Amino acid sequence: MEGASYQRFPKIKIREMKDDYLKFELRDTDSSMANALRRVMIAEVPTIAIDLVEIEVNSSVLNDEFIAHRLGLIPLTSERAMSMRFSRDCDACDGDGQCEFCSVEFHLRAKCMTDQTLDVTSKDLYSSDHTVVPVDFTESAGYDSPEQRGIIIVKLRRGQELRLRAIARKGIGKDHAKWSPAATVTFMYEPEIYINEDMMETLTLEEKMTLVESSPTKVFDIDPNTQQVIVVDPEAYTYDDEVLKKVEAMGKPGLIDIHAKEDSFIFTVESTGAIKASQLLLNALEVLKQKLDAVRLSEDTVEADDQFGELGAHMRGG
C-alpha cells in the first residue's frame, strides 16, 4: 500500500576509520533519518569548550574580547562531555567554575622577556582536569610543523604579558559553533549505474573514449583486455548528469542508466579532534535515541490525556 509506514531496521557498515575521519554506509532507512543523524552529529552532540574568560593582565596587541573569542574556538578533549552536566542544570554550583560536575578551569600565564617574539599557544593553557585539555595535533603534523607548538592564541613582544583564567563548560553546536564536534558531516545517495552491453557493442573505441572522458570524475574506464566500458568507481559520480547528456547527444538513450538508491547513504565525517570520529557517531546515535524516546513519551502522554478526556466526558454524560 503506497504511503504505508512500516518498521525498518537501519544498518551501519564502517568503511574507513581514523581518529579524526570516518566513512560509513547507512542502509535500510530513508533520507529523513539520514539527515536527522547528520544534523545531530553537527549540532547536538555535546562537547566542552571555553565559555567564560576572566583576563587579569593583557598588554598584547589584541583586545580582551578578541582573545576570549580565540580561546573559545580551541577544541578541547571531550570524552567525558556526555557524562557532565550542563551548567544551567547543575545544582552543585553557582556557575563560577569551581565545580567538578559541569565545568573545568584553565589558567594561562605568559610574558615575553626577550627580543624574540613569543608565541602563546594552546599548550600554554593549564587545565584543572587532565582529561580535558587542548587537542594535540602533534601526531598528525610533522616535527617541523607549526602545529607542533599548538594553536596560536596571541603573539607577544618584549615586556608584553597575558594572564587569564578561563572556565570551560559543556554545550552543543546548536547554541554556538565552538561546541560542534564535527568539522564536516556529509552524505550522498549511493548511485546504481547500469550499462547496456548490447548497445555498447555498437560504439567504436573512439566513441567509448569520448563517453568515458565526458564524466568530470573518474567513474568509468575502458577495460584494456575487452575494450569495454566498465564502472571503476560508482561513488565518484556526483549526479552531474554529464554522461547522460553525452549519451543523449550520441543518439543512444538507454545506453547508461544511473539512479540513486533511496535507502542507502554514504557518510563522510571529519571531527575537530574534540572526540574521535567513531565516538562522534556513537554519541550521535545515543542523542538521537534519547530524542526519539522523548517524542514517544510525549505521544503516550497525549494519548493518555485523550483517553482521560473521553472518560471525563462520559462521566459527565457528554
Side-chain angles (χ1 to χ4, degrees):
M1 179 179 176
E2 187 177 353
S5 62
Y6 58 94
Q7 190 172 9
R8 310 184 82 170
F9 298 93
K11 299 180 181 65
I12 288 178
K13 179 182 178 182
I14 304 296
R15 286 194 178 181
E16 185 179 351
M17 183 168 61
K18 301 176 184 176
D19 283 351
D20 60 350
Y21 178 84
L22 181 67
K23 189 172 185 179
F24 66 91
E25 301 172 6
L26 177 65
R27 298 183 181 276
D28 299 335
T29 187
D30 56 21
S31 58
S32 63
M33 184 59 68
N35 197 45
L37 180 59
R38 183 188 70 86
R39 291 172 65 95
V40 168
M41 294 176 78
I42 292 173
E44 299 199 45
V45 172
T47 63
I48 303 168
I50 290 175
D51 192 41
L52 175 65
V53 179
E54 298 175 355
I55 295 183
E56 301 172 21
V57 178
N58 177 22
S59 55
S60 71
V61 296
L62 299 183
N63 59 44
D64 295 356
E65 292 81 4
F66 204 114
I67 291 175
H69 182 261
R70 290 181 66 81
L71 288 169
L73 295 177
I74 295 174
L76 306 176
T77 53
S78 304
E79 284 80 7
R80 58 175 288 234
M82 291 289 284
S83 61
M84 286 180 64
R85 302 174 185 173
F86 288 101
S87 59
R88 61 180 176 268
D89 301 329
C90 185
D91 55 3
C93 69
D94 56 2
D96 62 351
Q98 303 289 337
C99 178
E100 60 179 317
F101 301 108
C102 71
S103 57
V104 178
E105 187 172 351
F106 288 84
H107 289 274
L108 187 151
R109 293 179 176 84
K111 185 173 183 178
C112 182
M113 307 298 292
T114 66
D115 290 332
Q116 186 176 357
T117 301
L118 175 66
D119 292 342
V120 181
T121 72
S122 56
K123 291 194 173 183
D124 295 312
L125 283 168
Y126 295 95
S127 173
S128 62
D129 185 342
H130 70 278
T131 64
V132 182
V133 295
V135 174
D136 186 5
F137 295 101
T138 304
E139 294 181 2
S140 59
Y143 287 104
D144 297 329
S145 174
E147 285 83 357
Q148 188 181 8
R149 302 193 305 271
I151 300 170
I152 293 180
I153 300 170
V154 67
K155 294 188 176 186
L156 303 179
R157 295 305 298 256
R158 176 186 281 273
Q160 293 180 340
E161 184 179 5
L162 180 63
R163 290 205 312 267
L164 58 85
R165 170 178 176 263
I167 304 300
R169 294 170 176 153
K170 174 181 176 178
I172 58 175
K174 184 186 288 187
D175 295 332
H176 194 287
K178 67 185 178 183
W179 277 302
S180 177
T184 60
V185 180
T186 63
F187 73 83
M188 64 173 285
Y189 289 95
E190 185 176 358
E192 278 188 313
I193 303 175
Y194 298 98
I195 298 176
N196 188 319
E197 300 294 346
D198 294 334
M199 294 182 67
M200 191 64 71
E201 289 287 349
T202 64
L203 300 184
T204 65
L205 181 59
E206 185 178 351
E207 288 176 323
K208 292 177 182 177
M209 288 291 295
T210 304
L211 183 63
V212 168
E213 292 170 357
S214 67
S215 175
T217 53
K218 191 71 172 177
V219 179
F220 304 95
D221 203 353
I222 294 181
D223 190 309
N225 299 321
T226 63
Q227 304 297 311
Q228 294 296 318
V229 176
I230 58 174
V231 179
V232 291
D233 187 5
E235 291 171 22
Y237 184 66
T238 57
Y239 295 96
D240 47 63
D241 291 343
E242 292 297 326
V243 174
L244 301 181
K245 293 175 184 176
K246 186 64 178 178
V247 166
E248 293 290 338
M250 295 170 67
K252 301 285 186 179
L255 176 62
I256 295 178
D257 181 32
I258 304 175
H259 68 271
K261 296 181 181 178
E262 295 189 356
D263 64 346
S264 183
F265 309 89
I266 301 167
F267 274 77
T268 302
V269 181
E270 294 181 20
S271 167
T272 61
I275 54 179
K276 293 182 179 180
S278 56
Q279 191 62 46
L280 171 56
L281 173 59
L282 294 174
N283 290 357
L285 292 172
E286 179 62 28
V287 171
L288 187 57
K289 179 176 178 295
Q290 292 172 3
K291 293 172 76 69
L292 293 173
D293 286 344
V295 171
R296 184 165 54 188
L297 179 62
S298 175
E299 289 179 349
D300 291 344
T301 303
V302 170
E303 184 179 349
D305 290 342
D306 290 343
Q307 292 176 353
F308 182 78
E310 292 174 2
L311 177 62
H314 177 72
M315 292 178 66
R316 290 193 301 270

